[in-house]
Structure formats: structure tokens, C-alpha cells
Amino acid sequence: MQKNELVIGHNNFKYRVKKDWAEFTPEQYPVNDCHEMVMSKNGLLYLLTNETRNNVLVYSKDGIVKASWGKTYPGAHGLTLSDENGEEFLYITDTVRHQVIKTNLEGKELMILDYPQEISLYTSANEYKPTETAIASNGDIYVTDGYGLQFVIQYDARGNYIRHWGGKGDGIDQFNCVHGITVDNRNAEPSLLITSRNHNVLKRFSMSGEYLNTISLPGSFNCRPVINGKNVYSAVFRSEHNKNLRSGYITIIDENDRVVSSPGGTEPVYINSVLQPQKQEGSTFIHPHDVCVDKDENLYIPQWDSDKTYPLMLERI
């Protein structure tokens, strides 16, 4: 380890911070808010930014831009990678276009989901601002309307409406900023892990929308859950309170729903099995918005409203 390298994290999840990992080329490949990042089977990293000169930057693992595409996603926010019968696709949520767009890895648009007119509470597209998608093994598409009416909407693989649930509220099956979603296949029965960001929790639902349980993460305004192996990773874009600007860290949750490490944040402490409130420690991050995990368990972190910074890397020790 070099003398000035910063190490962050707790327990067996510690990382060297590589702030200069990505190629900095704002003249050729500008970014605005760097929202989310995924890795394809061939090891390439796909970064989504709401900069319409190149909405998607494709990186190698050593941080070199290999390709770029996309000029029509002004509200580019959520990016999900789906393996469908051996072929990979991307799902982009756009909060300005009020749409979900399915593309191939080269950016060709294959399907567009408009606002859910099947739900009578939506009277116009402006009320629909989708933030994330998750794709089930049968092809069903789950969309979180995180900046709109706060519903989770389920479609089949062809984009036909199936059902919706949630909505804004403080009930156990409701949300306050239903920002992120993922399919959890770690157990015999798959389920959905869904963010209620302003409640500082992840909520678990069945694949048909039945509430199951809540993971409390006090102090952590989580963006979306990302599952790798036995663990859940999530970017905490703000900590302590929702007006705490330029804060945030990463949180890692084990298979028992316990936080085991918070790189860039305070150490997770449980008293009588209750996680104590956490907050940022140090200044590694400015509004981290997502976590991408590679096969070596290194982390790649895009950041929102961070002075147009490029993603940083956390190298697993």
C-alpha cells in the first residue's frame, strides 16, 4: 500500500480508496450526475450519467473509456443489467422522459414503457418519475416510481401491466422515496428488496407484492440495494438527515440482515440487536449513488451532485 492511500471499512470488509481510478476526460467524455453503474459478463462497466453528450460511458476495469453512447436521456437515473436467456440488456429509467427504456449493450432501444395509465391515480406522465427497475427470472419487470407517486409497478416481459402496490405513506407496505429495488435470490424463495429511502429502511416483499419484513438502517438514506454473493451493498447518498449535504458512505449487509461494514461511515454498532444510528466519517464520498461489485469484490462508486466527479474505486483488501 502506498503511503498516502486511504483505507476505509470495518471487520472483514476493508478497502483502499482509488479516487483516480477512472479516466478523467471531461472534454471528450463529460459527466454530470453519475447515477448508477453495472458490470457485464465480459467485464466491462457501464456508467449512467444525465449528461446528454454521452449518457452511457463504457469502462474497462482499469478505468479506460472503451465506448460511449446515448444523447436522449436527460433524466437518466436508474440502470439495471438483465441476463435474458444468455443475452444481456440494460434498463434505463428516465425521470424527465417519464419512461423506462430497454436497450442492448450498444444502446439500441428495444422497448419503452410509458407512464402507467392502467393506474387511475396517474392523471398525466408528469406524475411518473421512475428511479429503478428489477427484472425477475421469468422476465417480469418491476419499476419503482421513486420521485413520483411512490408505487412499485409490475409488468410482464412484454411490458403488459400486472399489478402495483405501495404508494407514499408510513404504513409497513408503503414508502417514502421508493428509490431502489432488486430481486433477492439468496434464499430458496426469491423476494424483492425495496428502498424506502426517507424511512432509512429496506423493505422486503414477495414477488407478488406482499410485505414480508423491514431492515432498519438508522441514519442511512440508501439509494438501491445491490446483491453480490451473500451480501447486500448500498450507497448511502446522505446520512443523519435528508438535508445533510455532501455526506454519505457505503453500507454492507450480511445474509442475516446485519450491517457488517460501512466504508466511509461510522462503525456499525448493535445494542440488543438494534443497529445504532450511523453517519459519515471522513470525507471520502460526496453523495454516493450506487455500488457496482466485480468478481474480486472491488467496488465502483458513481456519485450524484458531486461537482461532476467520475466514479471512484474501492479496492478490496
Side-chain angles (χ1 to χ4, degrees):
M1 184 176 68
Q2 297 179 4
K3 183 177 180 181
N4 294 325
E5 284 186 327
L6 176 65
V7 174
I8 58 176
H10 308 95
N11 299 311
N12 294 324
F13 295 87
K14 295 182 179 179
Y15 304 86
R16 297 185 188 94
V17 178
K18 304 285 187 178
K19 287 201 171 186
D20 59 352
W21 164 78
E23 183 178 13
F24 291 83
T25 51
E27 298 81 10
Q28 186 176 5
Y29 302 115
V31 298
N32 189 21
D33 299 309
C34 292
H35 275 129
E36 294 195 338
M37 206 165 190
V38 296
M39 176 175 278
S40 63
K41 289 186 291 189
N42 61 12
L44 292 176
L45 292 145
Y46 291 76
L47 168 71
L48 184 70
T49 173
N50 53 5
E51 169 54 69
T52 53
R53 283 172 285 180
N54 42 228
N55 284 121
V56 174
L57 296 181
V58 185
Y59 283 98
S60 63
K61 277 187 63 176
D62 56 2
I64 305 301
V65 177
K66 295 296 186 180
S68 66
W69 53 264
K71 299 180 183 299
T72 60
Y73 308 112
H77 186 278
L79 183 67
T80 299
L81 181 72
S82 175
D83 188 326
E84 301 172 19
N85 299 315
E87 187 174 0
E88 291 180 304
F89 300 94
L90 297 170
Y91 289 78
I92 297 169
T93 63
D94 192 305
T95 58
V96 174
R97 284 177 48 170
H98 313 288
Q99 292 176 326
V100 176
I101 305 97
K102 179 181 180 179
T103 77
N104 64 13
L105 295 185
E106 290 73 44
K108 180 181 178 181
E109 293 189 357
L110 305 173
M111 180 173 63
I112 294 177
L113 296 178
D114 288 311
Y115 85 97
Q117 299 182 53
E118 300 87 348
I119 303 173
S120 61
L121 291 171
Y122 289 94
T123 59
S124 73
N126 290 333
E127 295 174 309
Y128 179 62
K129 299 177 182 179
T131 50
E132 195 63 77
T133 58
I135 315 302
S137 60
N138 67 352
D140 281 2
I141 304 163
Y142 297 83
V143 183
T144 55
D145 185 15
Y147 295 157
L149 297 189
Q150 308 286 313
F151 290 109
V152 179
I153 305 120
Q154 181 182 357
Y155 300 88
D156 68 17
R158 296 180 178 273
N160 297 308
Y161 168 85
I162 297 175
R163 63 172 62 89
H164 70 281
W165 69 88
K168 187 173 183 178
D170 295 325
I172 60 170
D173 58 351
Q174 293 180 303
F175 306 97
N176 189 342
C177 192
V178 58
H179 192 273
I181 185 171
T182 194
V183 178
D184 188 352
N185 287 309
R186 292 176 297 170
N187 298 311
E189 190 72 25
S191 60
L192 296 164
L193 272 182
I194 305 174
T195 307
S196 186
R197 190 164 73 180
N198 293 339
H199 287 140
N200 296 164
V201 302
L202 297 176
K203 295 189 176 186
R204 188 183 302 277
F205 288 79
S206 73
M207 301 302 289
S208 57
E210 297 171 348
Y211 170 81
L212 299 174
N213 67 279
T214 294
I215 303 171
S216 180
L217 303 165
S220 297
F221 291 79
N222 288 270
C223 289
R224 75 158 162 179
V226 174
I227 296 175
N228 182 268
K230 295 181 178 180
N231 303 305
V232 177
Y233 299 74
S234 187
V236 178
F237 97 121
R238 285 178 182 158
S239 58
E240 295 186 88
H241 55 82
N242 205 15
K243 294 184 179 180
N244 191 6
L245 302 180
R246 303 178 74 83
S247 64
Y249 48 90
I250 308 303
T251 195
I252 304 171
I253 305 165
D254 70 10
E255 67 269 32
N256 299 311
D257 294 345
R258 289 176 67 93
V259 177
V260 292
S261 183
S262 298
T266 53
E267 183 175 2
V269 174
Y270 284 82
I271 298 177
N272 296 325
S273 299
V274 176
L275 179 64
Q276 301 305 293
Q278 294 185 265
K279 62 182 180 180
Q280 185 180 56
E281 186 171 76
S283 57
T284 301
F285 300 108
I286 305 172
H287 300 138
H289 198 271
D290 194 25
V291 182
C292 180
V293 189
D294 70 19
K295 64 180 181 62
D296 298 315
E297 298 185 5
N298 302 311
L299 311 183
Y300 304 84
I301 315 296
Q303 302 189 109
W304 169 83
D305 192 21
S306 59
D307 306 322
K308 301 185 179 182
T309 60
Y310 289 77
L312 55 83
M313 174 189 179
L314 302 185
E315 183 182 44
R316 180 77 186 266
I317 296 176

